[in-house]
Amino acid sequence: MRVRRYWPAAWVLALAAAAWGAGADAGRYVGHVRQLAAPEMKGRGAGSPELERAAQYVAREFQAAGLEPLNGKSFFQPFTLSTGAVLGPANRVEVRWGEKRQGLRPAQDFLPFSFSSRSTVSGGVVFAGYGITAPEYKYDDYTHLEVKDKIVLVLRHEPQEFDDKSVFLGKDFTRHAAFIDKAINARNRGARALLVVNDRGAHPTEEDVLVKFGASKGPEDAGLPVVQVKAEVAEAWFRSVGKSLKDIEAQIDKTLDPQPVAFPDTLQVTVQVDIERKLATVNNVAGWLRGPGEEYIIIGAHYDHLGLGEQDSLAPSLAGQVHPGADDNASGTAGVLELARLFAARRSSLHRSVVFLAFSGEELGLLGSNYYVSHPLKPLDQAVAMINLDMIGRVRNGKLYVGGVGTGSNLKPLVEEAAKQSSFQLDYSAGGYDASDHTSFAAKQVPVLFFFSGLHGDYHKPSDTWDKIDGPGTARVLDLIFDVAGRLEGARERPAYVRVTEPKPVAGGSAGGGYGAYFGSIPDFGQVENGVKFADVREGSPAGKAGLKAGDVLVEFAGKPIKNLYDFTYSLRSHKPGDEVEVKVVREGQAVTAKVVLEQRK
């Protein structure tokens, strides 16, 4: 039986005070953003000293506000994550042509990709064009080409790069141009290694530059060595058999017909990749205001960002510069700090506890919130709701987005009632699955609310600076959130979790959308070896209809092994709506096979 709560008169007066101007302090709020997004914080990248400085800052502010450590001892909840890779000392590529041997020079003639397997392989070489299989464009570089146990050489990018009439959409690269997609395609065909060479025909005036190590996204281990080699190295192989790589590239671009080349067995290449994975201990920061009873509400935000933007920057040419992350998400973190101060001033009238969480590892895949819900410092079944603040600092035209209102039985009317005291135009969405930390809580059946002021042109760029934050506007956002949180804290009845039957994601959208057919699983971003764990499965989705469940680990899709989320994405995008695919999952240690009929995104 749920405990019935009554709205305390002291809290009503407190909310009224907030509405009358004694609420969030815009100056204090912007001061927090300015500190967290300062140039010397260097973008608060995962595993960096500056991220640790940000954690210390949040902890000090929690303590100054009068919060107690949630675990009773420290404000920090440490966990380990992978922050990338570094090159070891033993990387080599050796070319043997009959009696001749040539050792390529690391970082000058060749360079591994950071998602390459750490291994040594040898074999003959096969050229597979651009290394693309794209049935939707009726294009396949592997047509009639056997590459099992071979080292595959492919061109970078994709055909007809500057042709506006290209089936590959001309000037806009498709997902097939991604290095990791080429690697997965080669691996699934049995290749021992993948060599990538710049497509010089499409870029005749550009220098033949090796891609900076760590600049390309991918899993920790793609399942085979993946190395870029200089074009002059590959050209020598083609000349030795009377061919020209430049001419072959031009022929592919002209006809879109595969132009495979199987080099003589006398050409043998050995690839040795030596990569060391970087691990770092980072912290969630957790404090609380203790109220009566066992129930509590959660207010959280992530405090990490992109650092120098080597991988996820939306201004790739500016990678290496500080990406301050003022709106994403110093704005949300500063909001948590200001709300902690507001709640602390009203602690005598609390009827439930209030937990404040600052997450790390969000930009790497919700890792901090995922770790928290897997290792909660308070029982999650006592959590009334989780309120997530992510990018709340730049409201435009009075419009504020509120997600998750369908995940709790009374959340939407509660927010609507609070909104009567504000001037915002609220844009509601029911579901609790978005690309932010509340998703981790929704997957554990905790009702969630997600406050968001919208994307803008500075998102994930060095230009996301503190001076663009709207202090007075965000203070009004925080007053609204304070009102909503106060109503949850003193509500007569806690919201019951509701499993939302969500609409199919729009292609290219953020709610699990993107290119390809619709499957319906929510990935658990906690690190899982050899598979993709489902945090949840959407109600009424193809996966749900097939009987797949939260906790299942996908290990095979349509006959292809699934070792990581990149494999899953590649395999899903290779199918179309209406296809029936057989999948294999591991459930509680047992293999379970299911047939899933993929659906159309809308």
Side-chain angles (χ1 to χ4, degrees):
M1 185 178 77
R2 297 189 181 92
V3 177
R4 297 186 67 81
R5 303 280 182 181
Y6 293 90
W7 197 266
W11 188 262
V12 173
L13 292 175
L15 294 177
W20 294 336
D25 185 313
R28 186 192 304 266
Y29 169 79
V30 172
H32 290 316
V33 176
R34 186 172 184 175
Q35 288 289 329
L36 291 167
E40 57 268 26
M41 296 300 281
K42 297 183 180 179
R44 310 182 306 280
S48 68
E50 292 77 23
L51 182 70
E52 175 60 22
R53 285 176 56 193
Q56 295 285 348
Y57 180 87
V58 173
R60 287 196 301 272
E61 293 299 321
F62 277 179
Q63 186 174 34
L67 274 60
E68 302 174 54
L70 189 56
N71 67 9
K73 299 178 181 179
S74 167
F75 285 107
F76 300 122
Q77 183 191 40
F79 64 99
T80 302
L81 51 72
S82 174
T83 61
V86 293
L87 288 167
N91 289 285
R92 70 184 179 96
V93 173
E94 183 179 86
V95 182
R96 288 173 291 157
W97 194 289
E99 298 299 319
K100 297 180 180 179
R101 291 175 180 264
Q102 178 190 14
L104 304 187
R105 298 165 298 176
Q108 297 181 59
D109 300 322
F110 79 94
L111 194 63
F113 289 90
S114 58
F115 50 77
S116 174
S117 290
R118 183 182 186 184
S119 60
T120 302
V121 300
S122 298
V125 179
V126 174
F127 173 70
Y130 287 86
I132 290 173
T133 298
E136 69 273 31
Y137 301 127
K138 297 181 174 59
Y139 180 89
D140 188 357
D141 281 306
Y142 288 91
T143 300
H144 309 306
L145 182 62
E146 177 57 58
V147 301
K148 183 174 173 56
D149 295 329
K150 298 290 186 179
I151 292 177
V152 176
L153 173 69
V154 301
L155 290 162
R156 188 177 178 182
H157 299 131
E158 59 194 19
Q160 300 181 340
E161 183 175 334
F162 296 107
D163 186 347
D164 290 335
K165 298 179 181 179
S166 169
V167 297
F168 282 88
L169 306 182
K171 296 179 181 178
D172 296 323
F173 287 126
T174 72
R175 52 106 178 175
H176 297 289
F179 293 119
I180 185 58
D181 277 38
K182 296 174 188 279
I184 292 171
N185 197 19
R187 188 204 67 204
N188 286 348
R189 295 172 181 274
R192 286 188 175 179
L194 181 71
L195 304 180
V196 181
V197 61
N198 281 328
D199 45 347
R200 304 294 294 139
H203 303 270
T205 63
E206 294 182 15
E207 188 178 352
D208 185 20
V209 175
L210 300 173
V211 175
K212 182 180 177 182
F213 182 79
S216 300
K217 293 197 69 174
E220 288 193 16
D221 187 341
L224 80 172
V226 187
V227 174
Q228 186 180 8
V229 298
K230 282 289 188 75
E232 62 182 289
V233 172
E235 276 283 13
W237 301 347
F238 284 91
R239 286 197 303 269
S240 67
V241 293
K243 296 180 182 295
S244 162
L245 177 57
K246 181 179 179 181
D247 291 346
I248 290 174
E249 180 186 337
Q251 185 66 18
I252 297 174
D253 287 353
K254 180 179 179 181
T255 65
L256 289 183
D257 289 330
Q259 302 289 321
V261 176
F263 293 94
D265 289 340
T266 50
L267 175 63
Q268 295 285 309
V269 173
T270 296
V271 178
Q272 179 177 338
V273 173
D274 180 19
I275 288 177
E276 299 173 2
R277 301 295 166 190
K278 293 192 297 183
L279 299 177
T281 298
V282 297
N283 290 288
N284 292 327
V285 189
W288 70 323
L289 294 169
R290 194 191 305 260
E294 300 296 327
E295 294 180 348
Y296 60 96
I297 64 170
I298 301 168
I299 300 174
H302 77 90
Y303 68 96
D304 62 305
H305 193 54
L306 304 185
L308 304 183
E310 287 91 343
Q311 283 197 352
D312 292 314
S313 174
L314 291 182
S317 64
L318 301 180
Q321 295 186 20
V322 173
H323 286 54
D327 197 24
D328 184 20
N329 185 35
S331 70
T333 306
V336 171
L337 297 179
E338 184 63 9
L339 289 168
R341 184 184 69 85
L342 293 176
F343 270 99
R346 280 79 169 175
R347 71 173 69 225
S348 62
S349 61
L350 291 178
H351 278 60
R352 289 184 174 105
S353 299
V354 186
V355 169
F356 298 89
L357 299 175
F359 303 109
S360 182
E362 191 269 356
E363 297 289 358
L364 296 180
L366 315 186
L367 298 185
S369 57
N370 183 277
Y371 184 85
Y372 182 86
V373 299
S374 299
H375 305 83
L377 300 178
K378 299 293 177 186
L380 287 180
D381 61 1
Q382 296 171 3
V384 171
M386 188 272 178
I387 301 174
N388 182 33
L389 285 58
D390 196 347
M391 296 182 64
I392 61 169
R394 293 173 63 169
V395 173
R396 292 181 301 283
N397 302 318
K399 190 172 185 178
L400 181 66
Y401 299 87
V402 185
V405 294
T407 63
S409 55
N410 63 353
L411 288 184
K412 188 173 183 182
L414 185 149
V415 175
E416 288 175 330
E417 186 64 27
K420 292 179 181 179
Q421 306 301 318
S422 79
S423 59
F424 293 114
Q425 175 191 349
L426 300 189
D427 188 326
Y428 296 106
S429 60
Y433 294 129
D434 298 281
S436 192
D437 289 305
H438 58 286
T439 292
S440 300
F441 290 83
K444 297 296 184 181
Q445 300 190 4
V446 176
V448 298
L449 289 172
F450 172 40
F451 288 87
F452 173 59
S453 61
L455 293 175
H456 46 71
D458 299 312
Y459 172 67
H460 278 201
K461 296 178 182 177
S463 52
D464 182 14
T465 51
W466 72 268
D467 54 299
K468 296 176 181 176
I469 297 297
D470 177 5
T474 310
R476 292 191 295 110
V477 172
L478 293 174
D479 287 340
L480 171 61
I481 297 171
F482 182 52
D483 190 338
V484 169
R487 292 171 189 273
L488 281 167
E489 184 279 321
R492 296 181 177 183
E493 186 171 322
R494 63 181 287 179
Y497 175 76
V498 177
R499 189 176 180 83
V500 177
T501 301
E502 301 193 28
K504 296 167 190 162
V506 176
S510 62
Y515 189 96
Y518 175 52
F519 186 78
S521 61
I522 306 297
D524 184 332
F525 290 101
Q527 296 176 4
V528 177
E529 294 183 2
N530 296 323
V532 172
K533 186 177 182 181
F534 298 154
D536 202 359
V537 173
R538 295 179 190 270
E539 190 82 9
S541 69
K545 292 174 184 176
L548 300 181
K549 302 177 179 180
D552 288 349
V553 178
L554 179 69
V555 295
E556 189 175 295
F557 186 99
K560 303 296 184 183
I562 302 299
K563 298 181 179 297
N564 51 61
L565 190 58
Y566 288 88
D567 287 349
F568 180 29
T569 301
Y570 182 88
S571 294
L572 181 59
R573 287 172 170 174
S574 299
H575 290 79
K576 61 183 184 298
D579 286 353
E580 181 181 78
V581 295
E582 185 172 275
V583 302
K584 184 182 292 184
V585 300
V586 176
R587 180 181 299 162
E588 297 178 351
Q590 301 296 316
V592 176
T593 301
K595 292 185 177 180
V596 180
V597 179
L598 303 176
E599 296 181 6
Q600 178 69 54
R601 297 182 186 275
K602 294 183 178 179

Tab-separated table of all heavy atoms in Angstrom, residues 21-34 334 338 341-342 466 469-479:
chain	number	residue	atom	x	y	z
A	21	GLY	N	10.369	35.542	-6.401
A	21	GLY	CA	11.697	36.073	-6.666
A	21	GLY	C	12.752	35.621	-5.692
A	21	GLY	O	13.910	36.008	-5.828
A	22	ALA	N	12.404	34.822	-4.671
A	22	ALA	CA	13.393	34.336	-3.709
A	22	ALA	C	13.847	32.942	-4.075
A	22	ALA	O	14.256	32.178	-3.225
A	22	ALA	CB	12.811	34.344	-2.295
A	23	GLY	N	13.773	32.600	-5.346
A	23	GLY	CA	14.117	31.252	-5.782
A	23	GLY	C	15.545	31.179	-6.270
A	23	GLY	O	16.475	31.666	-5.624
A	24	ALA	N	15.744	30.569	-7.438
A	24	ALA	CA	17.084	30.352	-7.970
A	24	ALA	C	17.788	31.685	-8.213
A	24	ALA	O	17.198	32.651	-8.677
A	24	ALA	CB	16.988	29.558	-9.272
A	25	ASP	N	19.076	31.699	-7.890
A	25	ASP	CA	19.897	32.896	-8.023
A	25	ASP	C	20.646	32.816	-9.354
A	25	ASP	O	21.552	31.992	-9.526
A	25	ASP	CB	20.875	32.960	-6.848
A	25	ASP	CG	21.696	34.233	-6.833
A	25	ASP	OD1	22.238	34.601	-7.892
A	25	ASP	OD2	21.818	34.847	-5.760
A	26	ALA	N	20.284	33.679	-10.303
A	26	ALA	CA	20.874	33.627	-11.643
A	26	ALA	C	22.381	33.867	-11.602
A	26	ALA	O	23.147	33.205	-12.323
A	26	ALA	CB	20.202	34.651	-12.556
A	27	GLY	N	22.836	34.800	-10.770
A	27	GLY	CA	24.262	35.097	-10.680
A	27	GLY	C	25.048	33.931	-10.135
A	27	GLY	O	26.126	33.585	-10.655
A	28	ARG	N	24.541	33.331	-9.075
A	28	ARG	CA	25.224	32.178	-8.491
A	28	ARG	C	25.266	31.025	-9.503
A	28	ARG	O	26.276	30.344	-9.664
A	28	ARG	CB	24.504	31.732	-7.216
A	28	ARG	CG	25.229	30.612	-6.457
A	28	ARG	CD	24.310	30.018	-5.388
A	28	ARG	NE	23.821	31.031	-4.477
A	28	ARG	CZ	24.397	31.328	-3.309
A	28	ARG	NH1	25.476	30.676	-2.934
A	28	ARG	NH2	23.885	32.251	-2.532
A	29	TYR	N	24.125	30.830	-10.171
A	29	TYR	CA	24.023	29.757	-11.155
A	29	TYR	C	25.062	29.930	-12.269
A	29	TYR	O	25.823	29.008	-12.582
A	29	TYR	CB	22.611	29.712	-11.744
A	29	TYR	CG	22.503	28.818	-12.953
A	29	TYR	CD1	22.410	27.444	-12.809
A	29	TYR	CD2	22.533	29.348	-14.242
A	29	TYR	CE1	22.358	26.616	-13.916
A	29	TYR	CE2	22.471	28.537	-15.356
A	29	TYR	CZ	22.388	27.165	-15.179
A	29	TYR	OH	22.340	26.346	-16.274
A	30	VAL	N	25.122	31.108	-12.865
A	30	VAL	CA	26.078	31.338	-13.951
A	30	VAL	C	27.507	31.221	-13.437
A	30	VAL	O	28.408	30.761	-14.161
A	30	VAL	CB	25.829	32.714	-14.607
A	30	VAL	CG1	26.937	33.046	-15.610
A	30	VAL	CG2	24.485	32.726	-15.315
A	31	GLY	N	27.732	31.588	-12.195
A	31	GLY	CA	29.058	31.427	-11.606
A	31	GLY	C	29.502	29.973	-11.601
A	31	GLY	O	30.667	29.661	-11.882
A	32	HIS	N	28.577	29.063	-11.274
A	32	HIS	CA	28.911	27.632	-11.321
A	32	HIS	C	29.247	27.206	-12.749
A	32	HIS	O	30.218	26.473	-12.970
A	32	HIS	CB	27.735	26.807	-10.804
A	32	HIS	CG	27.479	26.927	-9.335
A	32	HIS	ND1	28.478	26.902	-8.396
A	32	HIS	CD2	26.305	27.057	-8.643
A	32	HIS	CE1	27.950	27.014	-7.182
A	32	HIS	NE2	26.638	27.115	-7.300
A	33	VAL	N	28.427	27.644	-13.703
A	33	VAL	CA	28.687	27.279	-15.099
A	33	VAL	C	30.062	27.794	-15.530
A	33	VAL	O	30.843	27.076	-16.175
A	33	VAL	CB	27.593	27.839	-16.035
A	33	VAL	CG1	27.937	27.546	-17.491
A	33	VAL	CG2	26.229	27.247	-15.690
A	34	ARG	N	30.353	29.031	-15.152
A	34	ARG	CA	31.628	29.637	-15.552
A	34	ARG	C	32.811	28.860	-14.978
A	34	ARG	O	33.824	28.672	-15.657
A	34	ARG	CB	31.666	31.094	-15.086
A	34	ARG	CG	32.884	31.849	-15.567
A	34	ARG	CD	32.775	33.327	-15.234
A	34	ARG	NE	33.892	34.076	-15.784
A	34	ARG	CZ	34.005	35.393	-15.726
A	34	ARG	NH1	33.047	36.111	-15.134
A	34	ARG	NH2	35.046	36.003	-16.248
A	334	ALA	N	25.265	22.796	-12.800
A	334	ALA	CA	25.052	24.011	-12.004
A	334	ALA	C	23.619	24.077	-11.503
A	334	ALA	O	23.351	24.546	-10.382
A	334	ALA	CB	25.370	25.243	-12.853
A	338	GLU	N	22.376	24.494	-7.609
A	338	GLU	CA	21.458	25.542	-7.165
A	338	GLU	C	20.217	24.937	-6.516
A	338	GLU	O	19.719	25.444	-5.497
A	338	GLU	CB	21.081	26.429	-8.348
A	338	GLU	CG	20.205	27.620	-7.996
A	338	GLU	CD	20.863	28.623	-7.059
A	338	GLU	OE1	22.086	28.505	-6.782
A	338	GLU	OE2	20.159	29.530	-6.584
A	341	ARG	N	20.969	23.918	-3.007
A	341	ARG	CA	20.915	25.065	-2.087
A	341	ARG	C	19.476	25.408	-1.726
A	341	ARG	O	19.157	25.669	-0.555
A	341	ARG	CB	21.608	26.269	-2.734
A	341	ARG	CG	21.702	27.498	-1.839
A	341	ARG	CD	22.301	28.670	-2.577
A	341	ARG	NE	21.414	29.189	-3.618
A	341	ARG	CZ	20.439	30.077	-3.393
A	341	ARG	NH1	20.201	30.523	-2.164
A	341	ARG	NH2	19.689	30.503	-4.396
A	342	LEU	N	18.576	25.414	-2.729
A	342	LEU	CA	17.178	25.745	-2.464
A	342	LEU	C	16.527	24.728	-1.541
A	342	LEU	O	15.798	25.085	-0.604
A	342	LEU	CB	16.412	25.837	-3.786
A	342	LEU	CG	16.782	26.995	-4.728
A	342	LEU	CD1	16.007	26.875	-6.031
A	342	LEU	CD2	16.493	28.336	-4.059
A	466	TRP	N	30.488	29.646	-21.642
A	466	TRP	CA	29.634	30.037	-20.507
A	466	TRP	C	28.888	31.344	-20.757
A	466	TRP	O	27.775	31.541	-20.246
A	466	TRP	CB	30.484	30.168	-19.229
A	466	TRP	CG	31.378	31.369	-19.213
A	466	TRP	CD1	32.668	31.452	-19.637
A	466	TRP	CD2	31.036	32.682	-18.761
A	466	TRP	NE1	33.161	32.723	-19.483
A	466	TRP	CE2	32.175	33.504	-18.939
A	466	TRP	CE3	29.879	33.256	-18.212
A	466	TRP	CZ2	32.195	34.847	-18.598
A	466	TRP	CZ3	29.890	34.596	-17.876
A	466	TRP	CH2	31.036	35.375	-18.060
A	469	ILE	N	25.191	31.326	-21.879
A	469	ILE	CA	24.142	30.810	-20.995
A	469	ILE	C	23.214	31.945	-20.567
A	469	ILE	O	23.668	33.030	-20.192
A	469	ILE	CB	24.766	30.130	-19.755
A	469	ILE	CG1	25.602	28.920	-20.167
A	469	ILE	CG2	23.689	29.717	-18.759
A	469	ILE	CD1	24.835	27.802	-20.826
A	470	ASP	N	21.937	31.674	-20.637
A	470	ASP	CA	20.925	32.655	-20.225
A	470	ASP	C	20.663	32.467	-18.730
A	470	ASP	O	19.863	31.629	-18.330
A	470	ASP	CB	19.649	32.431	-21.045
A	470	ASP	CG	18.513	33.364	-20.625
A	470	ASP	OD1	18.726	34.243	-19.766
A	470	ASP	OD2	17.394	33.201	-21.166
A	471	GLY	N	21.360	33.251	-17.906
A	471	GLY	CA	21.233	33.106	-16.460
A	471	GLY	C	19.828	33.349	-15.944
A	471	GLY	O	19.249	32.486	-15.278
A	472	PRO	N	19.222	34.505	-16.229
A	472	PRO	CA	17.864	34.756	-15.729
A	472	PRO	C	16.853	33.745	-16.255
A	472	PRO	O	15.971	33.293	-15.524
A	472	PRO	CB	17.572	36.171	-16.242
A	472	PRO	CG	18.914	36.811	-16.392
A	472	PRO	CD	19.811	35.710	-16.859
A	473	GLY	N	16.981	33.380	-17.535
A	473	GLY	CA	16.040	32.408	-18.097
A	473	GLY	C	16.176	31.051	-17.447
A	473	GLY	O	15.175	30.382	-17.151
A	474	THR	N	17.421	30.627	-17.201
A	474	THR	CA	17.617	29.328	-16.569
A	474	THR	C	17.208	29.348	-15.108
A	474	THR	O	16.752	28.331	-14.568
A	474	THR	CB	19.081	28.875	-16.714
A	474	THR	OG1	19.487	28.987	-18.075
A	474	THR	CG2	19.236	27.423	-16.282
A	475	ALA	N	17.352	30.493	-14.445
A	475	ALA	CA	16.862	30.586	-13.070
A	475	ALA	C	15.360	30.319	-13.024
A	475	ALA	O	14.857	29.649	-12.101
A	475	ALA	CB	17.182	31.967	-12.490
A	476	ARG	N	14.635	30.795	-14.026
A	476	ARG	CA	13.199	30.517	-14.076
A	476	ARG	C	12.934	29.033	-14.359
A	476	ARG	O	11.979	28.458	-13.837
A	476	ARG	CB	12.529	31.394	-15.144
A	476	ARG	CG	12.533	32.870	-14.782
A	476	ARG	CD	11.648	33.699	-15.710
A	476	ARG	NE	12.125	33.713	-17.088
A	476	ARG	CZ	11.525	33.119	-18.105
A	476	ARG	NH1	10.396	32.427	-17.902
A	476	ARG	NH2	12.016	33.186	-19.319
A	477	VAL	N	13.791	28.421	-15.171
A	477	VAL	CA	13.676	26.961	-15.387
A	477	VAL	C	13.862	26.220	-14.057
A	477	VAL	O	13.109	25.302	-13.722
A	477	VAL	CB	14.720	26.479	-16.417
A	477	VAL	CG1	14.735	24.944	-16.489
A	477	VAL	CG2	14.435	27.059	-17.787
A	478	LEU	N	14.858	26.625	-13.295
A	478	LEU	CA	15.129	25.965	-12.015
A	478	LEU	C	13.999	26.187	-11.020
A	478	LEU	O	13.679	25.295	-10.216
A	478	LEU	CB	16.454	26.460	-11.449
A	478	LEU	CG	17.690	26.055	-12.263
A	478	LEU	CD1	18.935	26.719	-11.696
A	478	LEU	CD2	17.856	24.539	-12.277
A	479	ASP	N	13.388	27.357	-11.047
A	479	ASP	CA	12.232	27.572	-10.166
A	479	ASP	C	11.098	26.615	-10.519
A	479	ASP	O	10.422	26.081	-9.635
A	479	ASP	CB	11.747	29.021	-10.278
A	479	ASP	CG	12.686	30.005	-9.593
A	479	ASP	OD1	13.472	29.564	-8.733
A	479	ASP	OD2	12.635	31.205	-9.930
